[in-house]
Amino acid sequence: MPVLEFGAATLAAEPRLPAAGQLDVWLVRRAALETAAELLDLSELSEPERRRTASFVRPADGVTYASAHVALRRLLGAYLGLAPQDVPFVREPCPGCAEPHGRPAVAHPDPLLHFSLAHSHGMALVAVSRTVVGADVERLPRAETVEVCTPALHPGEQAELAALADAGERRAAFGRLWTRKEAYLKALGTGLSRDPGHDYLGADPHRRPAGWTLLDLPSGPRHNAAVAVRGGAPDRVTVRWVPPAALYAGETVDLDAGGTVGVPVAVSVGVTTRVSDWGA
């Protein structure tokens, strides 16, 4: 099991908040297990984050968690003009009980910056916006997962899956559906404490919850990804890969790196995203 040491912190960049109507999505691959202990910089993580990193039974899970949180702090630090270790995380009130265990957020003066972090099996996703956002990324589901989880879905979602005779198509549809659902529930601040069968997040955009936009996003060949944004469709969505070296000691995340280089990919509401060539 790799032992991850804490290196030197990086400097903060100038504030670079996204424009109103802009949604930035950053994809992060887990640092390589054989080099994580040597290269991955955990110096900017909080003590609880470091303990969490060390608590995973599977080394790969610990490195995925650490990679995701290093990337999150460096990205938010770049947007806010703060050193990554100084990004002030808070919890918003829970929609159900008003206790402070709702959506993770940053405490920062207006204009507000919203974010959502997700990670799964070697991949992480960070969504950043000026409006409330929820994100999810999941490894492509196994047939057993589809079978076990489908009865808990909204009746309309169950009907859509049942109409797909091909098992591969059904798995693919379930994967897209489930990431939309988790993204939406994270944006609400409830997570899966809200009945996953209550809300329709299926293939028909017109039947989805009013006041929200759901985007299916490109995330490579082994994962599904989705983002839920409060309000109408963003004016612009950019999907980029964080280069692996940006997580190393002495490095930073460049918010302009890669720009919008790549092949346009249409998402479910007609917005065009562009995937940079970092991970394509």
Side-chain angles (χ1 to χ4, degrees), residues 3-277:
V3 177
L4 302 174
E5 301 292 341
F6 307 142
T10 58
L11 298 177
E14 291 297 319
R16 291 283 307 277
L17 295 180
Q22 169 76 21
L23 172 64
D24 288 346
V25 178
W26 299 87
L27 300 173
V28 184
R29 283 200 181 97
R30 179 187 65 211
L33 294 178
E34 59 273 17
T35 58
E38 177 185 357
L39 297 176
L40 188 61
D41 183 8
L42 304 190
S43 66
E44 297 146 349
L45 300 186
S46 67
E47 191 58 37
E49 288 170 325
R50 297 178 189 182
R51 290 197 300 269
R52 179 65 173 151
T53 295
S55 71
F56 288 92
V57 174
R58 296 179 66 247
D61 294 337
V63 175
T64 297
Y65 175 90
S67 300
H69 284 259
V70 169
L72 175 67
R73 283 185 171 274
R74 290 190 173 184
L75 284 165
L76 294 181
Y79 282 108
L80 297 172
L82 297 173
Q85 64 270 24
D86 294 333
V87 174
F89 289 107
V90 296
R91 283 278 189 172
E92 295 182 348
C94 170
C97 66
E99 293 296 319
H101 55 77
R103 280 190 306 264
V106 288
H108 194 267
D110 288 339
L112 294 176
L113 184 71
H114 295 272
F115 76 91
S116 187
L117 169 68
H119 51 83
S120 173
H121 295 87
M123 173 78 74
L125 183 156
V126 179
V128 182
S129 174
R130 295 272 289 276
T131 189
V132 172
V133 62
D136 189 46
V137 62
E138 300 284 347
R139 186 173 62 178
L140 298 179
R142 296 190 295 262
E144 304 93 300
T145 302
V146 177
E147 182 178 353
V148 169
C149 295
T150 295
L153 298 177
H154 184 280
E157 298 166 345
Q158 293 186 47
E160 288 180 3
L161 294 176
L164 298 173
D166 181 78
E169 291 182 5
R170 191 160 53 251
R171 288 173 58 198
F174 176 89
R176 293 189 297 270
L177 160 65
W178 189 259
T179 52
R180 285 186 220 119
K181 188 173 293 285
E182 288 230 37
Y184 173 68
L185 296 178
K186 288 173 70 174
L188 289 182
T190 63
L192 289 173
S193 65
R194 183 179 176 93
D195 180 1
H198 185 77
D199 306 288
Y200 172 87
L201 278 303
D204 184 355
H206 301 292
R207 297 177 60 189
R208 297 174 188 165
W212 293 87
T213 296
L214 277 298
L215 307 175
D216 297 323
L217 297 177
S219 55
R222 292 181 294 276
H223 292 78
N224 290 117
V227 173
V229 181
R230 180 182 287 169
D235 297 326
R236 179 176 176 175
V237 182
T238 302
V239 183
R240 286 172 283 182
W241 290 87
V242 174
L247 308 181
Y248 298 164
E251 299 294 335
T252 60
V253 173
D254 181 357
L255 298 184
D256 292 322
T260 53
V261 176
V263 180
V265 181
V267 293
S268 58
V269 296
V271 178
T272 297
T273 70
R274 293 181 183 272
V275 185
S276 83
D277 56 359

